[in-house]
Amino acid sequence: MECPAYLDEYEKLVFRMTTPRVMIDNAGCSNSTRVMIDTYISSDGRWFMDVFHVTDLDGNKLTDESVISYIEQSLGTIHFASAKCFDGLTALELTGTGRIGLLLEVFAVLSELQCNIVEANVWTHNGRIASLIYVKEGDSGSPIEDSQKIDTIEPRLRNVLKGDNDIRSAKTSVSMAVRHTERRLHQMMFADRDYERKLVIRTNDNPIVSVLNCLEKGYSVINVQCKDRPNLLFDVVCTLTDMQYVVFHATVNTAGDRAYLEFFIRHTDGSPISSEAEKQHVILCLRAAIE
């Protein structure tokens, strides 16, 4: 893939270093097409090769050249796929107990304080909510940097979140440096301990998570079986990262609407999971992330 002509020499170097290289092999396997992505992970500074064996919806190899070309171009430019840009906005981070009408009350307070809401994201689980609301000054369109105004916004929203029946503490904060909304929402839910619960009603859609220690190799092995959905792998890996684990090897398979994931992990200090209590903690947190 060629560098865009408008880039300067340094940008072209970065482009060549970080842009994924995509190769599609239709001859190496009799019943599937192999998609190989050679890319770079900036978070840990290591190269890796991803190999995906894919078929169409009917279980056949990919033979349509237009589809193959589309995959190569789409994956090859993924480095420049622009997520929504929230530069120049103020992020309000809220956690608390969910209830009917809560967002309406939050928006009413922000409107009264002349905050222009650009986008709002809310996650709910186990009776708790985590929300990122991106705002700017209503009159000027600039970030909210007035410390007096921020000192007014935070307690007002905290009072709304508490309501009359708050079962835990409500939290509000203001950030100017949120770079990935879903990543931050994971961290907020984890910090709020949304995985804690008193009663679990098991159904066929509940994720099944098990943890085993592979002592001879020095790894802990996590197996997950659950309903497949978009962002599933992202959600699981985010949670493991927040819990200070490193994934050394992983296998992901799907069949129908089910997903089967296996992770070989260690602590960041190189040790495996060391106790039954830690195992149960990992299981609870992964179930919450998947749900």
Side-chain angles (χ1 to χ4, degrees):
M1 180 178 177
E2 296 298 324
C3 296
Y6 58 81
L7 298 180
D8 62 28
E9 291 306 311
Y10 176 77
E11 289 174 323
K12 289 179 180 179
L13 173 63
V14 173
F15 181 92
R16 293 190 182 99
M17 289 175 59
T18 60
T19 300
R21 291 184 293 277
V22 183
M23 296 170 285
I24 295 185
D25 174 19
N26 223 1
C29 185
S30 62
N31 57 6
S32 65
T33 300
R34 184 168 59 168
V35 180
M36 295 166 287
I37 308 169
D38 188 4
T39 187
Y40 182 79
I41 296 297
S42 60
S43 60
D44 66 5
R46 295 176 182 175
W47 289 91
F48 72 98
M49 171 69 81
D50 272 349
V51 179
F52 299 90
H53 291 265
V54 300
T55 61
D56 61 21
L57 292 178
D58 297 321
N60 301 316
K61 290 181 63 171
L62 306 182
T63 56
D64 189 329
E65 290 298 329
S66 64
V67 173
I68 293 174
S69 176
Y70 180 79
I71 292 175
E72 289 177 329
Q73 293 177 12
S74 298
L75 295 179
T77 58
I78 196 169
H79 177 72
F80 289 96
S82 58
K84 293 182 180 178
C85 180
F86 296 111
D87 290 339
L89 300 177
T90 302
L92 307 178
E93 301 182 351
L94 317 176
T95 55
T97 302
R99 69 176 189 275
I100 296 174
L102 177 59
L103 272 183
L104 182 63
E105 296 177 35
V106 169
F107 291 166
V109 169
L110 293 176
S111 177
E112 181 183 338
L113 295 174
Q114 297 184 336
C115 298
N116 186 5
I117 300 170
V118 178
E119 179 164 316
N121 300 268
V122 181
W123 281 6
T124 65
H125 181 245
N126 197 27
R128 302 294 290 174
I129 72 154
S131 178
L132 268 173
I133 303 176
Y134 296 93
V135 298
K136 57 185 178 182
E137 289 282 9
D139 51 354
S140 65
S142 59
I144 300 174
E145 299 175 324
D146 185 340
S147 59
Q148 285 187 322
K149 186 165 186 176
I150 290 174
D151 290 342
T152 300
I153 292 172
E154 289 192 85
R156 288 281 300 275
L157 292 180
R158 198 175 301 120
N159 287 334
V160 170
L161 288 167
K162 286 181 178 179
D164 298 325
N165 60 344
D166 185 51
I167 60 176
R168 283 191 228 161
S169 60
K171 296 180 181 178
T172 62
S173 63
V174 176
S175 174
M176 304 297 292
V178 175
R179 286 293 176 262
H180 196 293
T181 299
E182 289 76 15
R183 184 79 180 89
R184 183 61 188 141
L185 285 168
H186 263 294
Q187 294 170 336
M188 292 166 62
M189 284 297 234
F190 181 71
D192 191 57
R193 304 175 72 89
D194 72 302
Y195 49 83
E196 294 180 342
R197 68 189 75 187
K198 294 182 179 179
L199 176 65
V200 179
I201 300 174
R202 306 304 298 173
T203 71
N204 291 334
D205 285 338
N206 289 131
I208 300 172
V209 182
S210 63
V211 179
L212 300 172
N213 276 339
C214 185
L215 297 179
E216 66 275 12
K217 299 293 185 181
Y219 294 107
S220 294
V221 183
I222 295 177
N223 283 282
V224 177
Q225 298 181 36
C226 62
K227 187 174 183 179
D228 193 18
R229 61 168 176 77
N231 293 331
L232 175 62
L233 183 60
F234 173 84
D235 293 337
V236 173
V237 173
C238 277
T239 302
L240 291 173
T241 301
D242 288 340
M243 298 177 72
Q244 303 300 306
Y245 295 109
V246 178
V247 178
F248 285 83
H249 176 73
T251 303
V252 179
N253 289 306
T254 60
D257 66 346
R258 304 296 294 175
Y260 305 88
L261 300 86
E262 183 178 60
F263 301 90
F264 289 77
I265 67 168
R266 290 175 179 162
H267 285 285
T268 51
D269 64 5
S271 62
I273 293 174
S274 58
S275 68
E276 184 62 30
E278 186 182 358
K279 284 184 181 181
Q280 294 305 314
H281 182 63
V282 170
I283 290 171
L284 285 176
C285 292
L286 290 180
R287 282 177 180 167
I290 294 166
E291 292 169 355

